[in-house]
Amino acid sequence: MPLSTRMPELAAFEVLLAIARTGSLGAAGRELGLTQQAVSSRLASIEAQTGVRLVQRGPRGSRLTSAGAVVAEWADQLLDVAGRVDAGLAAMRSESHSRITVAASLTIAEQLMPRWLVSLQADAARRNATAPHVILTAANSDQVIAAVHDGSADLGFIESPGAPAGLGSRVIAHDELVAVVPPEHKWARRSAAVSPADLNDTPLVSRETGSGTRDALSSALRSVLGPSSRQADPAIELSSASAMRAAVLAGAGPAVMSRLAVGDDLTLGRLREVPIAGLDLRRELRAIWSGGRTPPAGAVRDLLGHIASHQHRPPSAAQ
C-alpha cells in the first residue's frame, strides 16, 4: 500500500524529536545546525502536511501536544529502523566493492582469469589500495549463464556464441579454436587442409553439452554446411581442456580446442595444428551480468575496467 501525501519525510521527524528533547525551537535548531526560524518554518510545514498540531509554543519554550507525543514515539521507532537500514546499505555497498563471486567457463578460468587476478592485485598494491576478493568457480558456459541468472554469481565469463538473453554483456577478449592431433595422426601428414565436411563427419574428442567451445564449433560448422547439418557423435566427451589434451595425445581422435589451451603444446610439438578450409573459428569471449547494459557499480565494474585496460597494454606492461 503506497504512503499518502500526508506522510512527512524522515528529516521532518528528526526536527520533531529534537524539539521534544530540547524543549525549544532555538535549542532544537542548535542541535540540528539550523536557525530557530528554519526550525519554526519546518515545524509549520510538518503540521500543515499532516493536518495535526504537534507542538504547543509558549513564552517559556515549546512542548509536544498529546498528539505530538504519540507521533514522536512513532518517529523514534521509525528513525531507529531507518538508521539500521542505512547502516545495512552502507555495509552492502562496502561489500560490493570488496568481494565478488565470479563464474567463468573453463578456458577463461584456466587460461585468462589467473593472469587478470594477479595483475589486479599488483595494480592495487601499486596504488596502496586493496583489490576486491574474487571467489572464482569454473563451469561450462551454460552453467555460468544459469549462475548469473539465479544470482549465485555476480559476474560471469562465457565462450558460447552471442549474448545470452536477459543479461548485460560485454566482449572482453577474443580467441580462436584450432583443430589438433598428435604428430603421428594421419591428418598431421596431410598436405591439404581438412574440409569442414570431413571435420563434421569425424568423431572428435569433445567437451560436454553446454560447453562454449563445443557450441562455437557447432555454430561455425552450421554456418558453412547449413543449419540441418549434423555432427558425428563425439569419440569421447570430457569436461576439461586438460582431459581433452590427454585424450588426443593418447590417440582418442582429433579435437577442436581453444588456442589459449594448447598454445604450449603446439609450440613444443606435442600436438599439431590441422588447418580447416573455409571455416571461421574465431570467437568472442564475453563478460555477463544481471541487470542493465552497464555493469553494476563496485567490484564488478572495477574488475571489468581492469580487464579492459589490461587487454590493451603491451605484453611487458601487463606482467
Side-chain angles (χ1 to χ4, degrees):
M1 178 178 174
L3 296 174
S4 76
T5 57
R6 295 280 193 171
M7 178 66 177
E9 296 181 355
L10 292 178
F13 290 122
E14 290 179 327
V15 170
L16 179 64
L17 289 176
I19 295 172
R21 283 192 299 270
T22 63
S24 79
L25 302 189
R30 287 190 293 274
E31 182 178 293
L32 297 173
L34 301 171
T35 64
Q36 180 174 337
Q37 183 179 3
V39 172
S40 178
S41 175
R42 291 192 185 187
L43 176 60
S45 177
I46 297 166
E47 290 181 327
Q49 182 180 5
T50 59
V52 177
R53 189 175 185 188
L54 302 172
V55 176
Q56 177 69 49
R57 301 164 181 81
R60 296 186 178 181
S62 300
R63 61 181 180 82
L64 300 186
T65 63
S66 57
V70 172
V71 173
E73 183 177 348
W74 293 338
D76 189 49
Q77 297 173 25
L78 182 60
L79 289 172
D80 179 63
V81 171
R84 284 186 272 129
V85 171
D86 190 30
L89 289 172
M92 290 179 181
R93 286 193 298 272
S94 176
E95 183 176 6
S96 77
H97 282 273
S98 62
R99 180 180 179 275
I100 177 174
T101 301
V102 174
S105 58
L106 283 172
T107 299
I108 298 172
E110 294 175 350
Q111 306 300 326
L112 295 176
M113 286 300 302
R115 185 169 74 239
W116 291 339
L117 296 181
V118 168
S119 66
L120 179 69
Q121 292 176 340
D123 278 0
R126 281 193 292 271
R127 294 182 284 105
N128 198 27
T130 301
H133 177 56
V134 178
I135 302 170
L136 175 64
T137 300
N140 67 38
S141 290
D142 279 2
Q143 292 166 339
V144 170
I145 292 169
V148 175
H149 268 302
D150 68 24
S152 57
D154 302 311
L155 179 65
F157 294 94
I158 59 172
E159 309 160 34
S160 49
L167 296 175
S169 73
R170 172 184 298 173
V171 175
I172 46 88
H174 294 82
D175 185 25
E176 180 185 21
L177 300 180
V178 293
V180 294
V181 295
E184 64 275 11
H185 192 277
K186 63 181 182 179
W187 281 6
R189 299 188 296 272
R190 287 178 61 120
S191 57
V194 173
S195 71
D198 284 344
L199 183 66
N200 192 66
D201 293 340
T202 300
L204 301 174
V205 174
S206 176
R207 285 285 307 279
E208 77 284 3
T209 300
S211 157
T213 296
R214 180 166 174 167
D215 289 347
L217 173 61
S218 297
S219 177
L221 287 170
R222 285 195 300 271
S223 70
V224 173
L225 302 176
S228 62
S229 62
R230 182 182 181 279
Q231 281 182 263
D233 292 335
I236 185 172
E237 292 187 19
L238 299 165
S239 60
S240 72
S242 57
M244 289 178 68
R245 288 167 56 247
V248 172
L249 289 168
V256 175
M257 302 178 63
S258 165
R259 187 178 292 280
L260 293 169
V262 295
D264 288 345
D265 296 288
L266 296 174
T267 299
L268 297 173
R270 288 191 294 257
L271 293 174
R272 298 284 178 84
E273 178 180 349
V274 179
I276 308 298
L279 192 63
D280 186 1
L281 291 175
R282 294 171 297 178
R283 61 177 179 169
E284 297 174 332
L285 307 180
R286 288 181 175 271
I288 58 173
W289 58 86
S290 180
R293 297 174 61 183
T294 303
V300 168
R301 195 177 298 175
D302 293 345
L303 177 57
L304 290 179
H306 173 79
I307 290 171
S309 64
H310 184 79
Q311 292 296 95
H312 294 96
R313 294 183 195 175
S316 59
Q319 300 301 317

